[in-house]
């Protein structure tokens, strides 16, 4: 915490300096951003600069991604003390590492000598973290162990790597670069409750894929948060997920069918002691968790509805449900009885977002015997390939001088809530 206090104070020093010089550039930028926010009409997409402008992107990183919990990876990437992986977000590189006593740390990958990156390889195992520039050496909890030829009186305890906050929720590692938000506890409690039956702490990564999307992170997240596009864009997803067509068109026949299926499935799930339904019930919360049926006759999210891996966690049968969760700004999960898919949406530049998906199965499942990677990954691979295409196109159109914010449909109301939340964060 001392380290994050130091980072905060250097930020405020920067702010003071800017105002002392009378500058105008920071003040002008702040005023300009404020005017953009004030001009937003709820119920429409955002104005062009929110999706393109580097000043707003910098504000997003500072006010949203540095102040909220962000999913970094699954605990199975850090099985042994010293195991680490790098997590990049905007200009930041964070070393997520398991320390000698088993605790997980998230350290800014910035040497306390003259600022070099300390870890260069994306993952590995290191007993100590040695800066490649002048060999300052850190323990894997960030403590500075040695710094050659420093003047007398140099105090190593003052030069640990800056730390992020870390929170592990059912095997999912979350990082918060600044002070954690005060109101996230109810969200994590719901995530824990809905994830618990899936046994994710005892899972392994069976597959992972990365997409570089040429779009602002908000277009990526907005796209993931609505199913208005499912009918036109995702034939495979619509063939698997019974909610997709009703969520696209709201046609009465489809809505009635899905309502009847949900009612029947929820009653059965509750009888069996399983979770069903949605929390929290009030709209507008920064998080949501659901457990709903996939499709009549479908046991999991697969091409033919048949299982693609052994049952996970406490499930004793394939009950045909899926569990989903969201936590602003960009955290999601989707879990069936036999596997889970965890997306990670990371802003890298105003028009560049990395999308990573990991597929989790039970840790003792054997590839080729218990699961087949092609069958396991089919649905979300084909869906994410399609999403990359439509979101790239979305950004290309938003870049045009003809782009104006457009009205959200009835099935995109979650985006109205998201944009209101987002604007509040950056205001
Ligand atoms: S910058 Fe790391 S040791 Fe000099
Ligand atoms: Fe999609």
């Amino acid at each position: 915490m001392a380290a994050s206090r130091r980072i905060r104070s250097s930020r405020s020093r920067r702010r003071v300096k800017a105002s002392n010089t009378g500058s105008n550039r920071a003040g002008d930028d702040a005023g300009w951003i404020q005017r953009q926010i004030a001009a937003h009409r709820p119920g429409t997409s955002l104005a062009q600069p929110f999706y393109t402008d580097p000043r707003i992107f910098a504000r997003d990183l500072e006010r949203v991604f540095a102040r909220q919990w962000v999913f970094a990876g699954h605990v199975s990437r850090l099985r042994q003390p010293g195991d680490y992986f790098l997590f990049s977000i905007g200009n930041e590189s964070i070393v997520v590492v398991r320390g000698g006593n088993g605790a997980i740390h998230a350290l800014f990958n910035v040497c306390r000598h003259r600022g070099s990156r300390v870890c260069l390889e994306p993952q590995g195992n290191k007993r100590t973290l040695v800066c490649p520039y002048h060999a300052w050496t850190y323990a894997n909890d960030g403590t500075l162990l040695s710094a050659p030829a420093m003047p007398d009186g140099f105090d190593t305890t003052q030069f640990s790597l800056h730390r992020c906050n870390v929170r592990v929720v059912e095997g999912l590692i979350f990082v918060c670069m600044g002070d954690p938000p005060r109101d996230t506890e109810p969200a994590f409690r719901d995530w824990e409750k809905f994830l618990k039956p899936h046994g994710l702490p005892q899972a392994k990564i069976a597959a992972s894929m990365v997409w570089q999307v040429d779009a602002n992170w908000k277009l990526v997240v907005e796209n993931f948060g609505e199913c208005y596009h499912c009918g036109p864009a995702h034939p495979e997803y619509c063939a698997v997920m019974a909610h997709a067509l009703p969520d696209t068109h709201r046609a009465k026949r489809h809505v009635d069918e899905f309502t009847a299926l949900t009612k029947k499935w929820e009653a059965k799930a509750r009888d069996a002691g399983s979770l069903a339904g949605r929390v929290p019930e009030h709209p507008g919360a920064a998080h949501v968790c659901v457990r709903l049926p996939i499709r009549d006759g479908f046991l999991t999210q697969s091409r033919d509805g048949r299982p693609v891996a052994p049952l996970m966690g406490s499930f004793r049968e394939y009950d045909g449900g899926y569990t989903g969760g969201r936590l602003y700004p960009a955290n999601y999960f989707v879990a069936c009885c036999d596997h889970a898919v965890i997306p990670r949406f990371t802003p890298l530049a105003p028009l560049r977002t990395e999308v990573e998906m990991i597929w989790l199965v039970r840790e003792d499942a054997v590839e080729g015997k218990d699961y087949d990677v092609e069958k396991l990954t089919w649905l979300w691979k084909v869906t994410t390939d399609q999403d990359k295409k439509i979101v790239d196109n979305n950004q290309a159109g938003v870049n045009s001088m003809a782009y104006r914010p457009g009205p959200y449909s009835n099935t995109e109301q979650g985006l109205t809530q998201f944009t209101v939340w987002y604007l509040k964060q950056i205001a």
Side-chain angles (χ1 to χ4, degrees), residues 261-301:
L261 168 69
T262 303
K263 232 169 135 182
K264 198 172 113 196
W265 181 86
E266 285 189 355
K268 208 172 143 207
R270 289 202 171 102
D271 278 355
S274 295
L275 285 169
R278 172 194 172 103
V279 296
E281 295 201 347
H282 63 279
H287 81 285
V288 68
C289 290
V290 299
R291 187 136 207 283
L292 291 167
I294 296 169
R295 171 177 295 283
D296 209 7
F298 274 61
L299 299 179
T300 193
Q301 288 184 327

Side-chain angles (χ1 to χ4, degrees), residues 110-118 131-138:
V110 178
C111 184
R112 293 299 306 280
H113 175 220
R114 281 168 48 202
S116 171
R117 289 271 186 263
V118 177
C131 178
Y133 201 173
H134 314 93
W136 280 28
T137 300
Y138 301 88

Side-chain angles (χ1 to χ4, degrees), residues 69-270:
W69 290 104
V70 178
F71 169 67
H74 183 251
V75 284
S76 63
R77 296 189 71 181
L78 306 177
R79 287 202 193 282
Q80 305 298 329
D83 283 355
Y84 79 91
F85 64 86
L86 298 186
F87 173 47
S88 295
I89 184 160
N91 289 332
E92 303 302 339
S93 168
I94 295 162
V95 187
V96 185
V97 55
R98 193 177 287 280
N101 64 359
I104 292 176
H105 309 282
L107 310 166
F108 281 93
N109 192 8
V110 178
C111 184
R112 293 299 306 280
H113 175 220
R114 281 168 48 202
S116 171
R117 289 271 186 263
V118 177
C119 277
L120 304 181
E121 303 83 23
Q123 59 191 1
N125 181 285
K126 287 185 195 291
R127 281 189 54 199
T128 54
L129 306 174
V130 182
C131 178
Y133 201 173
H134 314 93
W136 280 28
T137 300
Y138 301 88
N140 47 29
D141 66 355
T143 309
L144 179 62
L145 298 175
S146 69
M150 294 305 289
D152 287 347
F154 174 73
D155 181 358
T156 53
T157 65
Q158 298 304 305
F159 292 92
S160 300
L161 293 175
H162 289 300
R163 300 171 68 83
C164 305
N165 292 283
V166 175
R167 169 98 196 233
V168 181
V169 178
E170 288 297 306
L172 307 182
I173 304 167
F174 289 82
V175 165
C176 180
M177 290 186 270
D179 287 337
R182 284 199 206 100
D183 52 358
T184 324
E185 274 318 298
F188 280 143
R189 272 202 300 277
D190 284 338
W191 273 52
E192 272 160 4
K193 180 174 162 194
F194 276 71
L195 281 172
K196 175 85 56 201
H198 294 275
L200 300 193
Q202 291 79 43
K204 69 170 180 181
I205 299 174
S208 68
M209 295 180 199
V210 172
W211 292 257
Q212 299 296 338
V213 181
D214 296 318
N216 184 267
W217 70 273
K218 293 185 288 295
L219 290 182
V220 178
V221 165
E222 287 184 48
N223 176 68
F224 202 77
E226 52 93 355
C227 211
Y228 193 39
H229 70 278
C230 289
H234 297 313
E236 294 83 359
Y237 187 84
C238 290
V240 173
M241 299 303 291
H243 80 86
L245 282 184
D247 276 356
T248 301
H249 303 302
R250 287 278 161 95
K252 188 173 177 320
R253 181 172 66 86
H254 287 137
V255 173
D256 288 351
E257 274 173 21
F258 185 63
T259 307
L261 168 69
T262 303
K263 232 169 135 182
K264 198 172 113 196
W265 181 86
E266 285 189 355
K268 208 172 143 207
R270 289 202 171 102

Side-chain angles (χ1 to χ4, degrees), residues 386-403:
Q386 293 156 346
D387 277 332
K388 170 175 162 53
K389 211 161 145 187
I390 57 182
V391 177
D392 284 354
N393 289 340
N394 190 177
Q395 182 71 59
V398 165
N399 294 346
S400 162
M401 63 195 243
Y403 169 74

Side-chain angles (χ1 to χ4, degrees), residues 307-378:
V308 287
L311 285 170
M312 295 180 81
S314 59
F315 288 107
R316 293 293 162 260
E317 60 163 351
Y318 294 86
D319 72 357
Y322 78 98
T323 313
R326 181 203 73 213
L327 172 63
Y328 289 159
N331 306 296
Y332 295 90
F333 69 84
V334 181
C336 302
C337 295
D338 57 354
H339 72 284
V341 184
I342 319 290
R344 189 179 74 179
F345 301 118
T346 316
L348 294 180
L351 304 186
R352 174 56 69 98
T353 304
E354 183 185 275
V355 176
E356 184 203 57
M357 296 248 170
I358 56 171
W359 284 262
L360 300 172
V361 298
R362 215 166 70 190
E363 66 187 342
D364 61 357
V366 178
E367 185 181 347
K369 178 169 161 273
D370 296 319
Y371 66 93
D372 173 278
V373 171
E374 196 280 322
K375 283 185 180 156
L376 176 76
T377 57
W378 168 76

